[in-house]
Amino acid sequence: MNLSVELEAREDVPAWLVYGTPVFTVVGALALSAVALVALSVNPVAAYGTMFVETLTNPFGLRQTATRTVPLVLTGLAVYLPLRAGLWNVGAEGQLYMGAVVGTWIGVNVSLPMVALVPLAILGAGVAGGIWAGIPGYLRAKWDVNEIITTLLLTFVAVQIASYLVRGPMQGGLGNIPGSAELLDAAKYPTIPVLEVHAGFLVGLLAVAVTAVLVARTRMGFEVTFVGSNPLAAAQAGMSTARVYLFVFLVGGAFAGIGGFSEISGVQGRLRPAFSPDYGFTAIPIALLGRNGAVRVLIAAVFFAVLFVGGSRLEVSYGVPAALVDVIQALVILCLITAEFFKRYSVDVQLAEERTPTDGEPGGAA
Amino acid sequence: MVGFAAGLLDAAVRASTVFIFAALGEIISERGGVLNLGVEGMMLVGALGGFATTVVTGSYWLGFAAGMALGAALALIHAFLCITLKSSQVISGVMLTLLGTGLTTYFGTDWVNESIDGFPQMTLPLVGEYLVGIPVIGEAFFRSTAPDFIALALVPTVWWFLFRTNLGLEVISVGEDPETADTMGVDVFKMRYLCVLLGGAFAGAAGAHLSLAFSQLWATGMVAGRGWIAVALVIFAQWRPERALVGAYLFGLLDALQLRSQGIDLALDPASPLAGVVNPALELLMHPTIMSTYPYLATIVVLVVTVVRFDDSRLGAPSALLEPYSRETD
């Protein structure tokens, strides 16, 4: 008796699968992570209760989630836009750091009223992040240099530069603790009344809106999507793939840079080395989960923000290492690409009595 | 000066071993048609697994083997996702790096600050005793740790395997033209699994060398981007083992230079006219933090130069790289 597995490429994907995939993905990842929790002799049900229910049912948890969402959604968009064009920006972390460096420098050294200083710092941070992503974008557009490697390597460079600056030229009055001087009060995001979340939250929402309109309503957005789905056809239709590539990296990098400054201005108050808990890398699964639209990027960012906030609760309540959150993230992507497979193929598993000798088993080679 | 050169060369040779292992593994995997962007994660897993095994069992050889096995285990996920499920090799690789980073941070905290006796320095068996005395290169090439020697021996071995054995030629055919290979009776799926697993084992070995021989400790995130440099190295090497050796030495030298930069004083006499400009610039460029960015910047420069100098067809990338193979199409 033989197990035969038949794979068939789907002609079209049923709607329940399109909308169900992210849900199954998350559920699958949480189920896998539960194994790790059990290994640590933590009850996964209680742990997930702490992580999600407690986080989302009290005002403090909600505020923290909103705050964490800001850098995550901005770096998420920085990965999302190039992804629309079929490119990988795995260096949002570096762009975040460069934005934080320039934004902080402006926020410490330029004396202006808040209405001018905050926008100026945001602009500076955006330009810095845009340039940092623009280098790999240009190399890819002009010479076809693999953008995955260059964006990632530039991240290591950016983190080292920030580390050098806050220990040297930008070192502020903190004694021996490495860090810049405190931002001027006029450079700090005001708090939104009632919500009690810093104004960077609005910046994040604005970025989502801008991206959504850009992708869905503008000619450039159309070209980005076209190039992403079929670069050869796009080139034949007279579109410049190079222009599109450069554009998505410049705009994406700018978002990540603004995300860096937002974290300094709204939360930290001063630039420290290694201030980011890998926001820019978390952006990769965020963009993957939300690749069908900017609003979905926002939803995915909120989900990961809950993971961050809930994860640190878990750490306090159960002594679970924070790195577990990293593992859950990776498992989300693992489940995501597995789910992709089921979106593309329908699998027919049968128990057969006899197998014909010519029966090639494409999917069963494992 | 001779002493400095010998010391620098010695450090460079040791720093290059990691790149040799990782790049050779990546070459095998990509020759079979599967890009592995999970090297960094596989190296981390190999480094921690090798270290922990050595602490527990006391045997660094067992640790080295465990590192290789764990690298291959992570690669098995990649193979399953990319070859069987035909998922995107890019996503799967990046995901595995994230997974490797997360897992090693998670499980690694217990092992930070443990001490081990890793691979000891030894002279090359049989001939080493006679050759160690050669000035400048003697110590660098003939007194080292066992994995350093293994890595060097692997360069001609992998070359011979790929270009002179039947199995190797089948690997190349699977990476260049899987349809034809399949028609000729080569099992494309099996062959690709083999390549990816070998690549993962090599990456695991690179990591284990890092924690067991190179630094003899475990530190969170200690691979520090070397896996990505290895991926870029393969493009620089145009998928050829012997050129990967050259590239590995180049980056080993950069690594070594950075660690030994304090011994170099290039500052101009304060009285000379250019001192006001040159000395602060030198101070910045020779700052250890700034110098630690050079390997990354150099990788980008090398990558750009390689890609600009050769067009795609002469670059030598396997034609079916990134393309999942499925029999049922057409």
PDB file of all heavy atoms in Angstrom, chain A residues 40 88 143 152 156 160 164 321 330 333 337 341 344-345 363 365, chain B residues 84-86 90-91 95 106 189 228 284 289 292-293 296 307-308:
ATOM      1  N   LEU A  40       9.524  25.143  28.431  1.00  0.00           N
ATOM      2  CA  LEU A  40       9.970  25.966  29.560  1.00  0.00           C
ATOM      3  C   LEU A  40       9.043  25.794  30.759  1.00  0.00           C
ATOM      4  O   LEU A  40       9.085  26.568  31.700  1.00  0.00           O
ATOM      5  CB  LEU A  40       9.986  27.436  29.156  1.00  0.00           C
ATOM      6  CG  LEU A  40      11.083  27.895  28.223  1.00  0.00           C
ATOM      7  CD1 LEU A  40      10.726  29.248  27.616  1.00  0.00           C
ATOM      8  CD2 LEU A  40      12.395  27.986  28.965  1.00  0.00           C
ATOM      9  N   TRP A  88      13.812  43.364  -2.285  1.00  0.00           N
ATOM     10  CA  TRP A  88      13.916  43.123  -0.858  1.00  0.00           C
ATOM     11  C   TRP A  88      14.731  44.195  -0.171  1.00  0.00           C
ATOM     12  O   TRP A  88      15.913  44.371  -0.471  1.00  0.00           O
ATOM     13  CB  TRP A  88      14.561  41.759  -0.609  1.00  0.00           C
ATOM     14  CG  TRP A  88      13.595  40.668  -0.829  1.00  0.00           C
ATOM     15  CD1 TRP A  88      13.434  39.944  -1.974  1.00  0.00           C
ATOM     16  CD2 TRP A  88      12.623  40.196   0.100  1.00  0.00           C
ATOM     17  NE1 TRP A  88      12.409  39.050  -1.802  1.00  0.00           N
ATOM     18  CE2 TRP A  88      11.909  39.177  -0.548  1.00  0.00           C
ATOM     19  CE3 TRP A  88      12.295  40.540   1.412  1.00  0.00           C
ATOM     20  CZ2 TRP A  88      10.875  38.495   0.084  1.00  0.00           C
ATOM     21  CZ3 TRP A  88      11.287  39.856   2.030  1.00  0.00           C
ATOM     22  CH2 TRP A  88      10.580  38.848   1.370  1.00  0.00           C
ATOM     23  N   TRP A 143      23.083  48.859 -11.819  1.00  0.00           N
ATOM     24  CA  TRP A 143      23.966  47.746 -12.184  1.00  0.00           C
ATOM     25  C   TRP A 143      23.447  46.377 -11.779  1.00  0.00           C
ATOM     26  O   TRP A 143      24.178  45.398 -11.878  1.00  0.00           O
ATOM     27  CB  TRP A 143      25.357  47.942 -11.568  1.00  0.00           C
ATOM     28  CG  TRP A 143      26.145  49.010 -12.224  1.00  0.00           C
ATOM     29  CD1 TRP A 143      26.452  49.109 -13.553  1.00  0.00           C
ATOM     30  CD2 TRP A 143      26.747  50.147 -11.593  1.00  0.00           C
ATOM     31  NE1 TRP A 143      27.208  50.230 -13.776  1.00  0.00           N
ATOM     32  CE2 TRP A 143      27.403  50.891 -12.597  1.00  0.00           C
ATOM     33  CE3 TRP A 143      26.797  50.606 -10.280  1.00  0.00           C
ATOM     34  CZ2 TRP A 143      28.101  52.056 -12.316  1.00  0.00           C
ATOM     35  CZ3 TRP A 143      27.497  51.765 -10.007  1.00  0.00           C
ATOM     36  CH2 TRP A 143      28.129  52.481 -11.016  1.00  0.00           C
ATOM     37  N   LEU A 152      21.480  44.899   3.674  1.00  0.00           N
ATOM     38  CA  LEU A 152      21.829  44.300   4.959  1.00  0.00           C
ATOM     39  C   LEU A 152      23.206  44.752   5.438  1.00  0.00           C
ATOM     40  O   LEU A 152      23.386  45.113   6.601  1.00  0.00           O
ATOM     41  CB  LEU A 152      21.794  42.785   4.858  1.00  0.00           C
ATOM     42  CG  LEU A 152      21.845  42.253   6.266  1.00  0.00           C
ATOM     43  CD1 LEU A 152      20.481  41.829   6.710  1.00  0.00           C
ATOM     44  CD2 LEU A 152      22.849  41.190   6.448  1.00  0.00           C
ATOM     45  N   PHE A 156      24.739  47.044   9.111  1.00  0.00           N
ATOM     46  CA  PHE A 156      25.843  46.891  10.059  1.00  0.00           C
ATOM     47  C   PHE A 156      26.657  48.184  10.127  1.00  0.00           C
ATOM     48  O   PHE A 156      27.088  48.613  11.192  1.00  0.00           O
ATOM     49  CB  PHE A 156      26.745  45.727   9.648  1.00  0.00           C
ATOM     50  CG  PHE A 156      26.051  44.394   9.674  1.00  0.00           C
ATOM     51  CD1 PHE A 156      25.897  43.644   8.524  1.00  0.00           C
ATOM     52  CD2 PHE A 156      25.533  43.891  10.859  1.00  0.00           C
ATOM     53  CE1 PHE A 156      25.244  42.413   8.545  1.00  0.00           C
ATOM     54  CE2 PHE A 156      24.884  42.668  10.897  1.00  0.00           C
ATOM     55  CZ  PHE A 156      24.744  41.937   9.731  1.00  0.00           C
ATOM     56  N   GLN A 160      27.112  50.782  13.462  1.00  0.00           N
ATOM     57  CA  GLN A 160      28.452  51.136  13.958  1.00  0.00           C
ATOM     58  C   GLN A 160      28.663  52.651  13.945  1.00  0.00           C
ATOM     59  O   GLN A 160      29.259  53.201  14.863  1.00  0.00           O
ATOM     60  CB  GLN A 160      29.536  50.461  13.101  1.00  0.00           C
ATOM     61  CG  GLN A 160      29.574  48.941  13.220  1.00  0.00           C
ATOM     62  CD  GLN A 160      29.904  48.469  14.625  1.00  0.00           C
ATOM     63  OE1 GLN A 160      30.600  49.140  15.363  1.00  0.00           O
ATOM     64  NE2 GLN A 160      29.371  47.320  14.996  1.00  0.00           N
ATOM     65  N   TYR A 164      29.536  54.896  17.096  1.00  0.00           N
ATOM     66  CA  TYR A 164      30.703  55.769  17.156  1.00  0.00           C
ATOM     67  C   TYR A 164      30.290  57.191  17.540  1.00  0.00           C
ATOM     68  O   TYR A 164      30.901  57.817  18.405  1.00  0.00           O
ATOM     69  CB  TYR A 164      31.412  55.771  15.796  1.00  0.00           C
ATOM     70  CG  TYR A 164      32.398  56.901  15.626  1.00  0.00           C
ATOM     71  CD1 TYR A 164      33.645  56.840  16.237  1.00  0.00           C
ATOM     72  CD2 TYR A 164      32.081  58.019  14.856  1.00  0.00           C
ATOM     73  CE1 TYR A 164      34.549  57.877  16.091  1.00  0.00           C
ATOM     74  CE2 TYR A 164      32.971  59.058  14.714  1.00  0.00           C
ATOM     75  CZ  TYR A 164      34.206  58.990  15.326  1.00  0.00           C
ATOM     76  OH  TYR A 164      35.091  60.019  15.194  1.00  0.00           O
ATOM     77  N   PRO A 321      12.571  34.275  28.275  1.00  0.00           N
ATOM     78  CA  PRO A 321      13.490  35.210  27.631  1.00  0.00           C
ATOM     79  C   PRO A 321      12.822  35.993  26.504  1.00  0.00           C
ATOM     80  O   PRO A 321      11.972  35.446  25.786  1.00  0.00           O
ATOM     81  CB  PRO A 321      14.598  34.310  27.068  1.00  0.00           C
ATOM     82  CG  PRO A 321      14.417  32.992  27.688  1.00  0.00           C
ATOM     83  CD  PRO A 321      13.020  32.897  28.180  1.00  0.00           C
ATOM     84  N   ALA A 330       9.881  34.424  13.637  1.00  0.00           N
ATOM     85  CA  ALA A 330      10.402  33.552  12.584  1.00  0.00           C
ATOM     86  C   ALA A 330       9.389  32.462  12.264  1.00  0.00           C
ATOM     87  O   ALA A 330       9.209  32.100  11.101  1.00  0.00           O
ATOM     88  CB  ALA A 330      11.734  32.955  13.012  1.00  0.00           C
ATOM     89  N   ILE A 333       6.716  33.648   9.928  1.00  0.00           N
ATOM     90  CA  ILE A 333       7.105  33.629   8.511  1.00  0.00           C
ATOM     91  C   ILE A 333       7.132  32.207   7.988  1.00  0.00           C
ATOM     92  O   ILE A 333       6.704  31.937   6.871  1.00  0.00           O
ATOM     93  CB  ILE A 333       8.488  34.244   8.289  1.00  0.00           C
ATOM     94  CG1 ILE A 333       8.654  35.468   9.156  1.00  0.00           C
ATOM     95  CG2 ILE A 333       8.674  34.613   6.836  1.00  0.00           C
ATOM     96  CD1 ILE A 333       9.987  36.099   9.021  1.00  0.00           C
ATOM     97  N   ILE A 337       5.015  31.100   4.693  1.00  0.00           N
ATOM     98  CA  ILE A 337       5.392  30.564   3.381  1.00  0.00           C
ATOM     99  C   ILE A 337       4.847  29.168   3.174  1.00  0.00           C
ATOM    100  O   ILE A 337       4.604  28.764   2.057  1.00  0.00           O
ATOM    101  CB  ILE A 337       6.908  30.641   3.099  1.00  0.00           C
ATOM    102  CG1 ILE A 337       7.715  30.042   4.230  1.00  0.00           C
ATOM    103  CG2 ILE A 337       7.337  32.053   2.874  1.00  0.00           C
ATOM    104  CD1 ILE A 337       9.193  30.206   3.984  1.00  0.00           C
ATOM    105  N   PHE A 341       2.144  28.009  -0.022  1.00  0.00           N
ATOM    106  CA  PHE A 341       2.154  26.803  -0.831  1.00  0.00           C
ATOM    107  C   PHE A 341       0.743  26.271  -1.026  1.00  0.00           C
ATOM    108  O   PHE A 341       0.342  25.903  -2.120  1.00  0.00           O
ATOM    109  CB  PHE A 341       3.043  25.750  -0.170  1.00  0.00           C
ATOM    110  CG  PHE A 341       2.972  24.406  -0.822  1.00  0.00           C
ATOM    111  CD1 PHE A 341       3.606  24.191  -2.029  1.00  0.00           C
ATOM    112  CD2 PHE A 341       2.270  23.367  -0.239  1.00  0.00           C
ATOM    113  CE1 PHE A 341       3.543  22.957  -2.643  1.00  0.00           C
ATOM    114  CE2 PHE A 341       2.213  22.131  -0.846  1.00  0.00           C
ATOM    115  CZ  PHE A 341       2.847  21.926  -2.049  1.00  0.00           C
ATOM    116  N   ARG A 344      -1.183  28.113  -3.512  1.00  0.00           N
ATOM    117  CA  ARG A 344      -0.840  27.903  -4.913  1.00  0.00           C
ATOM    118  C   ARG A 344      -1.184  26.493  -5.414  1.00  0.00           C
ATOM    119  O   ARG A 344      -1.403  26.286  -6.573  1.00  0.00           O
ATOM    120  CB  ARG A 344       0.641  28.194  -5.148  1.00  0.00           C
ATOM    121  CG  ARG A 344       0.911  29.682  -5.337  1.00  0.00           C
ATOM    122  CD  ARG A 344       2.351  29.932  -5.690  1.00  0.00           C
ATOM    123  NE  ARG A 344       3.223  29.614  -4.577  1.00  0.00           N
ATOM    124  CZ  ARG A 344       4.285  28.824  -4.686  1.00  0.00           C
ATOM    125  NH1 ARG A 344       4.592  28.289  -5.831  1.00  0.00           N
ATOM    126  NH2 ARG A 344       5.032  28.599  -3.630  1.00  0.00           N
ATOM    127  N   TYR A 345      -1.159  25.536  -4.499  1.00  0.00           N
ATOM    128  CA  TYR A 345      -1.408  24.172  -4.936  1.00  0.00           C
ATOM    129  C   TYR A 345      -2.520  23.552  -4.107  1.00  0.00           C
ATOM    130  O   TYR A 345      -2.633  23.814  -2.913  1.00  0.00           O
ATOM    131  CB  TYR A 345      -0.151  23.307  -4.766  1.00  0.00           C
ATOM    132  CG  TYR A 345       0.999  23.751  -5.599  1.00  0.00           C
ATOM    133  CD1 TYR A 345       1.925  24.657  -5.077  1.00  0.00           C
ATOM    134  CD2 TYR A 345       1.183  23.276  -6.887  1.00  0.00           C
ATOM    135  CE1 TYR A 345       2.994  25.079  -5.836  1.00  0.00           C
ATOM    136  CE2 TYR A 345       2.247  23.696  -7.661  1.00  0.00           C
ATOM    137  CZ  TYR A 345       3.153  24.600  -7.126  1.00  0.00           C
ATOM    138  OH  TYR A 345       4.204  25.016  -7.877  1.00  0.00           O
ATOM    139  N   GLY A 363       6.041  16.200  -5.629  1.00  0.00           N
ATOM    140  CA  GLY A 363       6.045  16.830  -4.316  1.00  0.00           C
ATOM    141  C   GLY A 363       6.508  15.899  -3.235  1.00  0.00           C
ATOM    142  O   GLY A 363       6.748  16.295  -2.118  1.00  0.00           O
ATOM    143  N   ALA A 365       9.241  14.048  -3.085  1.00  0.00           N
ATOM    144  CA  ALA A 365      10.648  13.674  -3.111  1.00  0.00           C
ATOM    145  C   ALA A 365      11.299  13.765  -1.743  1.00  0.00           C
ATOM    146  O   ALA A 365      12.378  13.255  -1.525  1.00  0.00           O
ATOM    147  CB  ALA A 365      11.408  14.528  -4.100  1.00  0.00           C
TER     148      ALA A 365
ATOM    149  N   THR B  84      10.716  21.126  -2.022  1.00  0.00           N
ATOM    150  CA  THR B  84       9.468  20.383  -2.015  1.00  0.00           C
ATOM    151  C   THR B  84       8.263  21.309  -2.133  1.00  0.00           C
ATOM    152  O   THR B  84       7.388  21.110  -2.954  1.00  0.00           O
ATOM    153  CB  THR B  84       9.356  19.544  -0.739  1.00  0.00           C
ATOM    154  OG1 THR B  84      10.512  18.717  -0.658  1.00  0.00           O
ATOM    155  CG2 THR B  84       8.126  18.664  -0.768  1.00  0.00           C
ATOM    156  N   LEU B  85       8.240  22.362  -1.295  1.00  0.00           N
ATOM    157  CA  LEU B  85       7.085  23.267  -1.324  1.00  0.00           C
ATOM    158  C   LEU B  85       7.232  24.380  -2.359  1.00  0.00           C
ATOM    159  O   LEU B  85       6.333  25.179  -2.550  1.00  0.00           O
ATOM    160  CB  LEU B  85       6.850  23.884   0.056  1.00  0.00           C
ATOM    161  CG  LEU B  85       6.431  22.954   1.192  1.00  0.00           C
ATOM    162  CD1 LEU B  85       5.983  23.761   2.392  1.00  0.00           C
ATOM    163  CD2 LEU B  85       5.325  22.008   0.761  1.00  0.00           C
ATOM    164  N   LYS B  86       8.416  24.464  -3.001  1.00  0.00           N
ATOM    165  CA  LYS B  86       8.651  25.459  -4.049  1.00  0.00           C
ATOM    166  C   LYS B  86       8.399  26.893  -3.561  1.00  0.00           C
ATOM    167  O   LYS B  86       7.914  27.749  -4.303  1.00  0.00           O
ATOM    168  CB  LYS B  86       7.780  25.181  -5.277  1.00  0.00           C
ATOM    169  CG  LYS B  86       8.003  23.788  -5.864  1.00  0.00           C
ATOM    170  CD  LYS B  86       6.956  23.495  -6.893  1.00  0.00           C
ATOM    171  CE  LYS B  86       6.897  22.058  -7.344  1.00  0.00           C
ATOM    172  NZ  LYS B  86       7.373  21.024  -6.454  1.00  0.00           N
ATOM    173  N   VAL B  90      14.312  33.317  -1.344  1.00  0.00           N
ATOM    174  CA  VAL B  90      14.701  34.530  -0.628  1.00  0.00           C
ATOM    175  C   VAL B  90      14.011  34.596   0.726  1.00  0.00           C
ATOM    176  O   VAL B  90      14.646  34.759   1.774  1.00  0.00           O
ATOM    177  CB  VAL B  90      14.371  35.784  -1.462  1.00  0.00           C
ATOM    178  CG1 VAL B  90      14.638  37.044  -0.671  1.00  0.00           C
ATOM    179  CG2 VAL B  90      15.157  35.782  -2.750  1.00  0.00           C
ATOM    180  N   ILE B  91      12.684  34.422   0.709  1.00  0.00           N
ATOM    181  CA  ILE B  91      11.925  34.515   1.961  1.00  0.00           C
ATOM    182  C   ILE B  91      12.384  33.440   2.934  1.00  0.00           C
ATOM    183  O   ILE B  91      12.658  33.704   4.106  1.00  0.00           O
ATOM    184  CB  ILE B  91      10.412  34.355   1.695  1.00  0.00           C
ATOM    185  CG1 ILE B  91       9.934  35.453   0.747  1.00  0.00           C
ATOM    186  CG2 ILE B  91       9.631  34.421   2.997  1.00  0.00           C
ATOM    187  CD1 ILE B  91       8.479  35.354   0.391  1.00  0.00           C
ATOM    188  N   MET B  95      14.125  34.159   6.468  1.00  0.00           N
ATOM    189  CA  MET B  95      13.405  33.660   7.632  1.00  0.00           C
ATOM    190  C   MET B  95      14.295  32.770   8.483  1.00  0.00           C
ATOM    191  O   MET B  95      14.302  32.858   9.708  1.00  0.00           O
ATOM    192  CB  MET B  95      12.182  32.888   7.128  1.00  0.00           C
ATOM    193  CG  MET B  95      11.258  32.366   8.162  1.00  0.00           C
ATOM    194  SD  MET B  95      11.803  30.840   8.914  1.00  0.00           S
ATOM    195  CE  MET B  95      11.707  29.714   7.552  1.00  0.00           C
ATOM    196  N   TYR B 106      17.952  32.978  22.289  1.00  0.00           N
ATOM    197  CA  TYR B 106      17.068  32.378  23.280  1.00  0.00           C
ATOM    198  C   TYR B 106      17.787  31.298  24.085  1.00  0.00           C
ATOM    199  O   TYR B 106      17.824  31.317  25.321  1.00  0.00           O
ATOM    200  CB  TYR B 106      15.870  31.808  22.514  1.00  0.00           C
ATOM    201  CG  TYR B 106      14.836  31.084  23.323  1.00  0.00           C
ATOM    202  CD1 TYR B 106      14.218  31.703  24.403  1.00  0.00           C
ATOM    203  CD2 TYR B 106      14.445  29.802  22.969  1.00  0.00           C
ATOM    204  CE1 TYR B 106      13.244  31.029  25.117  1.00  0.00           C
ATOM    205  CE2 TYR B 106      13.476  29.137  23.679  1.00  0.00           C
ATOM    206  CZ  TYR B 106      12.875  29.744  24.757  1.00  0.00           C
ATOM    207  OH  TYR B 106      11.921  29.094  25.458  1.00  0.00           O
ATOM    208  N   PHE B 189      15.421  16.415  -7.437  1.00  0.00           N
ATOM    209  CA  PHE B 189      15.028  16.728  -6.064  1.00  0.00           C
ATOM    210  C   PHE B 189      16.061  16.223  -5.069  1.00  0.00           C
ATOM    211  O   PHE B 189      16.501  16.934  -4.179  1.00  0.00           O
ATOM    212  CB  PHE B 189      13.648  16.140  -5.772  1.00  0.00           C
ATOM    213  CG  PHE B 189      12.571  16.781  -6.585  1.00  0.00           C
ATOM    214  CD1 PHE B 189      12.099  16.181  -7.741  1.00  0.00           C
ATOM    215  CD2 PHE B 189      12.052  18.011  -6.205  1.00  0.00           C
ATOM    216  CE1 PHE B 189      11.117  16.788  -8.501  1.00  0.00           C
ATOM    217  CE2 PHE B 189      11.069  18.620  -6.955  1.00  0.00           C
ATOM    218  CZ  PHE B 189      10.604  18.008  -8.114  1.00  0.00           C
ATOM    219  N   TRP B 228      26.530  36.840   5.663  1.00  0.00           N
ATOM    220  CA  TRP B 228      26.110  37.644   4.507  1.00  0.00           C
ATOM    221  C   TRP B 228      27.302  37.990   3.645  1.00  0.00           C
ATOM    222  O   TRP B 228      27.208  38.040   2.420  1.00  0.00           O
ATOM    223  CB  TRP B 228      25.397  38.909   4.977  1.00  0.00           C
ATOM    224  CG  TRP B 228      24.115  38.585   5.651  1.00  0.00           C
ATOM    225  CD1 TRP B 228      23.894  38.472   6.997  1.00  0.00           C
ATOM    226  CD2 TRP B 228      22.869  38.284   5.018  1.00  0.00           C
ATOM    227  NE1 TRP B 228      22.584  38.127   7.222  1.00  0.00           N
ATOM    228  CE2 TRP B 228      21.947  38.011   6.045  1.00  0.00           C
ATOM    229  CE3 TRP B 228      22.463  38.234   3.693  1.00  0.00           C
ATOM    230  CZ2 TRP B 228      20.615  37.673   5.755  1.00  0.00           C
ATOM    231  CZ3 TRP B 228      21.153  37.909   3.422  1.00  0.00           C
ATOM    232  CH2 TRP B 228      20.245  37.633   4.459  1.00  0.00           C
ATOM    233  N   LEU B 284      39.839  59.467  12.608  1.00  0.00           N
ATOM    234  CA  LEU B 284      38.485  58.972  12.366  1.00  0.00           C
ATOM    235  C   LEU B 284      38.534  57.629  11.641  1.00  0.00           C
ATOM    236  O   LEU B 284      37.892  56.663  12.051  1.00  0.00           O
ATOM    237  CB  LEU B 284      37.702  59.996  11.531  1.00  0.00           C
ATOM    238  CG  LEU B 284      36.319  59.532  11.048  1.00  0.00           C
ATOM    239  CD1 LEU B 284      35.360  59.409  12.214  1.00  0.00           C
ATOM    240  CD2 LEU B 284      35.754  60.494  10.014  1.00  0.00           C
ATOM    241  N   THR B 289      35.812  51.495  15.972  1.00  0.00           N
ATOM    242  CA  THR B 289      34.407  51.332  15.589  1.00  0.00           C
ATOM    243  C   THR B 289      34.217  51.568  14.097  1.00  0.00           C
ATOM    244  O   THR B 289      33.497  50.834  13.423  1.00  0.00           O
ATOM    245  CB  THR B 289      33.509  52.314  16.368  1.00  0.00           C
ATOM    246  OG1 THR B 289      33.894  52.271  17.736  1.00  0.00           O
ATOM    247  CG2 THR B 289      32.050  51.957  16.229  1.00  0.00           C
ATOM    248  N   SER B 292      35.569  48.767  12.026  1.00  0.00           N
ATOM    249  CA  SER B 292      34.779  47.538  12.006  1.00  0.00           C
ATOM    250  C   SER B 292      33.740  47.566  10.887  1.00  0.00           C
ATOM    251  O   SER B 292      33.141  46.543  10.572  1.00  0.00           O
ATOM    252  CB  SER B 292      34.109  47.311  13.355  1.00  0.00           C
ATOM    253  OG  SER B 292      33.131  48.297  13.571  1.00  0.00           O
ATOM    254  N   THR B 293      33.522  48.733  10.276  1.00  0.00           N
ATOM    255  CA  THR B 293      32.566  48.782   9.159  1.00  0.00           C
ATOM    256  C   THR B 293      33.246  48.434   7.831  1.00  0.00           C
ATOM    257  O   THR B 293      32.566  48.202   6.839  1.00  0.00           O
ATOM    258  CB  THR B 293      31.940  50.183   9.004  1.00  0.00           C
ATOM    259  OG1 THR B 293      32.958  51.104   8.609  1.00  0.00           O
ATOM    260  CG2 THR B 293      31.308  50.662  10.283  1.00  0.00           C
ATOM    261  N   TYR B 296      32.226  45.310   5.701  1.00  0.00           N
ATOM    262  CA  TYR B 296      30.913  45.440   5.068  1.00  0.00           C
ATOM    263  C   TYR B 296      31.000  46.351   3.848  1.00  0.00           C
ATOM    264  O   TYR B 296      30.457  46.049   2.788  1.00  0.00           O
ATOM    265  CB  TYR B 296      29.889  45.982   6.064  1.00  0.00           C
ATOM    266  CG  TYR B 296      29.869  45.221   7.366  1.00  0.00           C
ATOM    267  CD1 TYR B 296      30.095  45.853   8.580  1.00  0.00           C
ATOM    268  CD2 TYR B 296      29.654  43.847   7.373  1.00  0.00           C
ATOM    269  CE1 TYR B 296      30.089  45.155   9.771  1.00  0.00           C
ATOM    270  CE2 TYR B 296      29.656  43.144   8.550  1.00  0.00           C
ATOM    271  CZ  TYR B 296      29.869  43.791   9.749  1.00  0.00           C
ATOM    272  OH  TYR B 296      29.877  43.094  10.919  1.00  0.00           O
ATOM    273  N   VAL B 307      30.109  42.849 -10.355  1.00  0.00           N
ATOM    274  CA  VAL B 307      28.904  42.848 -11.185  1.00  0.00           C
ATOM    275  C   VAL B 307      29.062  43.784 -12.378  1.00  0.00           C
ATOM    276  O   VAL B 307      28.623  43.479 -13.485  1.00  0.00           O
ATOM    277  CB  VAL B 307      27.668  43.221 -10.337  1.00  0.00           C
ATOM    278  CG1 VAL B 307      26.451  43.370 -11.219  1.00  0.00           C
ATOM    279  CG2 VAL B 307      27.427  42.170  -9.276  1.00  0.00           C
ATOM    280  N   VAL B 308      29.744  44.930 -12.160  1.00  0.00           N
ATOM    281  CA  VAL B 308      29.897  45.884 -13.250  1.00  0.00           C
ATOM    282  C   VAL B 308      30.862  45.344 -14.301  1.00  0.00           C
ATOM    283  O   VAL B 308      30.668  45.524 -15.501  1.00  0.00           O
ATOM    284  CB  VAL B 308      30.371  47.250 -12.710  1.00  0.00           C
ATOM    285  CG1 VAL B 308      30.760  48.177 -13.849  1.00  0.00           C
ATOM    286  CG2 VAL B 308      29.281  47.878 -11.862  1.00  0.00           C
TER     287      VAL B 308
END
